[in-house]
Amino acid sequence: LLPLQPYDLLLHARNLLVAPLSEEFVFRAALCPLLLAGGFSVTSLVFICPLFFSLAHVHHIWNLVHYHRCSLPRAIAMVSKWPSRGCLAASLLSLF
């Protein structure tokens, strides 16, 4: 393996540490309590929070189609998995 350049280290740190932690903070630790305080039930929160998460990442469809030459249906299929994973994460968070 080739040694990583400083830019590569920063890119990996961003992708593997900063992005997941900040997303979890914003979409779980901040959004879930706000929705609960707004009168949403825990059950509805499990479905609503992942929708916000997916909307915030809809730009990935553009990237997949235009930069990675992925077909539009395949890109949509890839991105459409996120709400179900988010529902699982939100339901697990609601246990605590």
Side-chain angles (χ1 to χ4, degrees):
L1 295 173
L2 296 173
L4 292 176
Q5 299 298 320
Y7 175 79
D8 294 329
L9 289 173
L10 288 173
L11 189 64
H12 289 315
R14 183 202 69 180
N15 291 342
L16 299 174
L17 294 173
V18 176
L21 292 175
S22 63
E23 286 178 352
E24 285 302 315
F25 174 75
V26 171
F27 288 101
R28 306 283 187 267
L31 188 59
C32 290
L34 287 174
L35 290 173
L36 285 172
F40 288 93
S41 69
V42 173
T43 304
S44 63
L45 178 95
V46 167
F47 298 103
I48 293 171
C49 195
L51 291 177
F52 282 114
F53 181 83
S54 295
L55 287 173
H57 290 83
V58 77
H59 68 279
H60 287 292
I61 294 172
W62 173 267
N63 288 339
L64 288 169
V65 170
H66 290 283
Y67 297 117
H68 298 284
R69 303 291 184 224
C70 184
S71 69
L72 182 60
R74 183 168 183 228
I76 291 171
M78 290 168 69
V79 173
S80 68
K81 296 174 186 176
W82 294 338
S84 61
R85 292 176 185 160
C87 288
L88 176 63
S91 63
L92 291 174
L93 180 68
S94 70
L95 297 174
F96 297 103

